[in-house]
């Protein structure tokens, strides 16, 4: 089994974010931690004073409908990052990368979450093969 792990300075605030942004409630809660299931992956959100200190992507979500999902998340108060860095520029929050269109946002705890749409049906199939444990073609 695999589990993603995200820190939270305020577990109640993080719980409200997961409910409001993704429509998810914890599948289990214990000892200062909530467990969610998103697209078949368990996500542990636990309380710690070190939440939001990472400056890298902490969680990546894949979608086949980036524009739709960004619009939906924006209706729930999510704000997407805009970047203008060497090799990475976003337009309206979206970076067009070689094989993906990607947007980034923060959860309420300062964790950076990426939302990516594979650029082709072939890339989607590669991601599905990786997820199932099969070697990509």
């Amino acid at each position: 089994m695999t589990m993603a792990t995200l820190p939270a300075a305020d577990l109640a605030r993080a719980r409200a974010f997961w409910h409001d942004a993704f429509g998810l409630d914890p599948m289990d809660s214990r000892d200062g931690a909530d467990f969610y299931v998103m697209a078949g992956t368990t996500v542990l959100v636990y309380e710690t004073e070190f939440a939001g200190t990472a400056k890298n992507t902490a969680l990546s979500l894949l979608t086949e409908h980036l524009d739709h999902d960004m619009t939906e998340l924006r209706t729930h108060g999510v704000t997407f990052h805009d970047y203008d860095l060497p090799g990475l520029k976003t337009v309206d929050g979206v970076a067009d990368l070689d094989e993906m269109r990607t947007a980034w946002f923060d959860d309420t705890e300062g964790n950076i979450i990426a939302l990516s749409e594979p650029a082709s049906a072939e890339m989607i199939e590669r991601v599905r093969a990786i997820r199932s444990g099969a070697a990509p073609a």
Side-chain angles (χ1 to χ4, degrees):
M1 290 186 284
T2 301
M3 180 170 55
T5 305
L6 293 175
D10 183 328
L11 194 58
R13 180 178 60 207
R15 187 177 295 133
F17 172 81
W18 279 82
H19 177 80
D20 295 347
F22 301 119
L24 296 175
D25 293 315
M27 298 298 287
D28 190 19
S29 296
R30 64 181 68 190
D31 303 322
D34 287 343
F35 296 84
Y36 298 88
V37 175
M38 177 180 259
T41 298
T42 303
V43 180
L44 163 66
V45 179
Y46 73 100
E47 199 158 46
T48 175
E49 64 185 273
F50 301 109
T53 59
K55 300 301 175 202
N56 56 283
T57 300
L59 179 66
S60 294
L61 309 172
L62 296 179
T63 180
E64 293 183 51
H65 308 285
L66 181 65
D67 296 322
H68 173 271
D69 291 345
M70 287 179 71
T71 298
E72 182 68 21
L73 287 168
R74 283 178 170 132
T75 66
H76 295 287
V78 170
T79 302
F80 289 88
H81 294 252
D82 276 309
Y83 295 109
D84 190 359
L85 306 168
L88 179 67
K89 179 166 178 55
T90 58
V91 175
D92 195 26
V94 178
D96 283 310
L97 307 173
D98 289 337
E99 296 186 340
M100 299 264 187
R101 293 177 61 231
T102 302
W104 293 266
F105 61 96
D106 292 346
D107 68 7
T108 55
E109 306 310 299
N111 299 303
I112 300 171
I113 299 174
L115 182 63
S116 300
E117 176 184 86
S120 67
E122 177 184 330
M123 184 61 177
I124 293 168
E125 290 309 313
R126 288 184 72 205
V127 170
R128 286 185 178 138
I130 291 167
R131 183 171 182 232
S132 71

